[in-house]
């Protein structure tokens, strides 16, 4: 896959005095973070210091030592978010609660781990559907890393209830307990995707359905719920954390259900990281443009 050299390693415009920023993952070549982060840095007059680096799980401890000496900020994507929570010197309360880290802030050699995925989803829901979150019923499809980082955050957003539909019910139950630890009186339930009656009941009642499984990333992936669960006139809005077209987005469109993809969530979690590193509120329009232009291979 061709990657624009601007986003390949360290930045073409950086000099040795410039602070360094990276996104790491395995794989990571598909990441839109360099495009949107460098757009924010450039708009703020800070050059284009944000690069991309493939780091395998085995290399992660060594990378932390590299980052400690050489970087100011790092974003982490699959599969590093849970392991990074163990390696950071300190965690913010939010990262400690969800046991997940997607952002590192490095100050005088100390590495603080933070999670901005939750605020990213919260801001994206408000922006895409133009309503406050307070009092809303949320249903998550999935209970993996993305659901973990975001559900624990939403538990503190004054929502009416959170439910999880997940193939491995035991993982949903662990996540439900993490949310209960945030807010003991929150209505929480867990359902298996093949329990059609229970799934249909949850979808009847919910305001936001968050698609947080990895189904839809590959071209022939099945739907994460039976298509019959989506009926015309249902009141919920679908938020698919995946930011390219997927079958569940098409199903929502066909049934007249409001939906949004994961682009705004990525922008907002990145904006929160940027602000933490620089103390500057980023230009979101520039970040959206950077996201669109930063397609690997373009
Ligand atoms: P993960 O930790 O690997 O979790 C994957 C989830 O998908 C689990 O709930 C898993 O169920 C479920 N799943 C996978 N294959 C399945 C199958 N064949 N049938 C039924 N369920 C299946 O991945 P993640 O890090 O949470 O990422 C999930 C999604 O979030 C990805 O699509 C990613 O692109 C997206 N994401 C988006 C953003 C954004 O900013 N827009 C940020 C982070 C992540 P089990 O528990 O049963 O295995």
């Amino acid at each position: 896959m061709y990657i624009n050299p601007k986003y390949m390693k360290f930045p073409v415009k950086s000099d040795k005095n410039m602070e360094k920023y990276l996104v790491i993952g395995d794989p990571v070549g598909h990441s839109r973070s360099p495009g949107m982060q460098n757009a924010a840095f450039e708009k703020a007059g800070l050059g284009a210091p944000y690069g991309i680096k493939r780091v395998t799980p085995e290399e992660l401890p060594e990378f932390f030592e590299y980052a400690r000496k050489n970087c100011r900020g790092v974003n982490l994507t699959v599969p590093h978010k849970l392991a990074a929570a163990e390696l950071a010197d300190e965690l913010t309360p939010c990262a400690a609660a969800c046991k997940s880290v997607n952002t590192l802030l490095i100050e005088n050699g100390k590495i603080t781990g933070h999670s901005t995925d939750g605020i990213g989803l919260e801001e994206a829901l408000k922006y895409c559907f133009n309503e406050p979150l307070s009092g809303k019923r949320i249903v998550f499809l999935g209970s993996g890393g993305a659901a973990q980082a975001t559900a624990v955050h939403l538990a503190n957003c004054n929502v009416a209830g959170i439910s999880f539909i997940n193939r491995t019910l035991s993982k949903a139950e662990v996540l439900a307990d993490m949310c209960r630890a945030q807010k003991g009186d929150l209505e929480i339930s867990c359902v298996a995707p093949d329990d059609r009656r229970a799934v249909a009941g949850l979808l009847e009642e919910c305001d936001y359905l968050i698609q947080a499984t990895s189904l839809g990333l590959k071209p022939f992936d099945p739907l994460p719920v039976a298509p019959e669960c989506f009926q015309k006139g249902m009141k919920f809005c679908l938020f698919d954390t995946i930011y390219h077209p997927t079958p569940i987005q098409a199903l929502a469109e066909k049934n007249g259900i409001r939906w949004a993809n994961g682009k705004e969530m990525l922008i907002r979690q990145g904006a929160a990281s940027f602000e933490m590193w620089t103390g500057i509120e980023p230009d979101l329009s520039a970040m959206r443009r950077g996201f669109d232009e930063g397609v690997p291979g373009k």
Side-chain angles (χ1 to χ4, degrees), residues 142-146 166-168 171 212-215 241-242 262 265-266:
S143 299
N166 196 45
R167 174 180 64 175
T168 310
K171 275 170 71 180
T213 74
S214 40
L215 294 175
T241 60
I242 297 177
M265 175 177 163
L266 194 80

Side-chain angles (χ1 to χ4, degrees), residues 7-298:
Y7 304 137
M8 192 62 200
K9 285 205 320 191
F10 288 133
V12 279
K13 288 189 195 163
S14 82
D15 59 44
K16 66 180 177 2
N17 297 318
M18 192 179 265
E19 288 178 319
K20 290 184 174 124
Y21 300 85
L22 277 173
V23 58
I24 65 160
D26 184 23
V28 74
H30 63 283
S31 176
R32 302 285 188 98
S33 290
M36 65 177 201
Q37 292 288 5
N38 278 324
F41 278 109
E42 279 177 339
K43 190 81 188 174
L46 297 172
Y50 191 104
I52 188 167
K53 192 175 173 66
R54 178 171 171 253
V55 173
T56 65
E58 297 72 37
E59 291 166 342
L60 192 63
E62 194 188 327
F63 173 80
F64 264 62
E65 291 320 305
Y66 167 82
R68 191 186 294 289
K69 296 189 195 92
N70 295 285
C71 296
R72 163 76 177 165
V74 177
N75 284 131
L76 305 102
T77 183
V78 175
H80 298 317
K81 293 183 186 182
L82 303 187
E86 303 290 326
L87 290 170
D89 300 327
E90 208 168 79
L91 297 178
T92 59
C94 171
C98 66
K99 301 187 177 109
S100 170
V101 162
N102 77 335
T103 304
L104 305 180
L105 171 68
I106 298 117
E107 294 167 299
N108 304 320
K110 189 179 92 185
I111 302 181
T112 304
H114 189 57
S115 175
T116 64
D117 283 327
I119 189 77
L121 177 60
E122 179 193 351
E123 296 289 330
L125 288 173
K126 290 187 198 155
Y127 175 81
C128 295
F129 303 122
N130 200 22
E131 282 181 37
L133 261 181
S134 166
K136 295 283 192 286
R137 293 191 176 277
I138 317 275
V139 174
F140 276 88
L141 292 172
S143 299
Q148 181 172 319
T150 55
V152 171
H153 175 87
L154 292 190
N156 288 311
C157 290
N158 213 14
V159 297
I162 301 183
S163 301
F164 299 97
I165 300 170
N166 196 45
R167 174 180 64 175
T168 310
L169 209 50
S170 56
K171 275 170 71 180
E173 277 153 5
V174 169
L175 183 46
D177 282 341
M178 290 171 75
C179 292
R180 280 189 198 100
Q182 295 302 303
K183 200 153 189 294
D185 58 352
L186 192 63
E187 268 185 45
I188 299 182
S189 59
C190 302
V191 164
D194 51 7
D195 185 345
R196 300 256 178 109
R197 255 179 92 149
V199 170
L202 285 179
L203 298 196
E204 285 273 310
E205 293 294 312
C206 84
D207 299 293
Y208 292 137
L209 178 64
I210 313 296
Q211 194 311 100
T213 74
S214 40
L215 294 175
L217 286 175
K218 296 195 215 103
F220 300 107
D221 275 345
L223 282 162
V225 277
E228 308 80 75
C229 293
F230 276 38
Q231 301 285 338
K232 281 200 173 10
M234 286 181 121
K235 65 162 186 168
F236 68 80
C237 302
L238 169 75
F239 187 90
D240 189 356
T241 60
I242 297 177
Y243 48 70
H244 62 68
T246 63
I248 199 168
Q249 295 167 19
L251 185 64
E253 181 70 28
K254 189 175 141 210
N255 284 287
I257 292 167
R258 288 170 74 199
W259 64 274
N261 70 21
K263 171 179 169 178
E264 195 62 24
M265 175 177 163
L266 194 80
I267 303 279
R268 299 295 179 130
Q269 60 79 32
S273 301
F274 181 93
E275 196 164 344
M276 188 184 314
W277 297 326
T278 63
I280 299 168
E281 206 176 301
D283 183 317
L284 293 174
S285 304
M287 292 186 88
R288 290 187 192 106
R289 270 197 307 279
F291 173 99
D292 292 337
E293 288 165 6
V295 183
K298 214 170 167 183

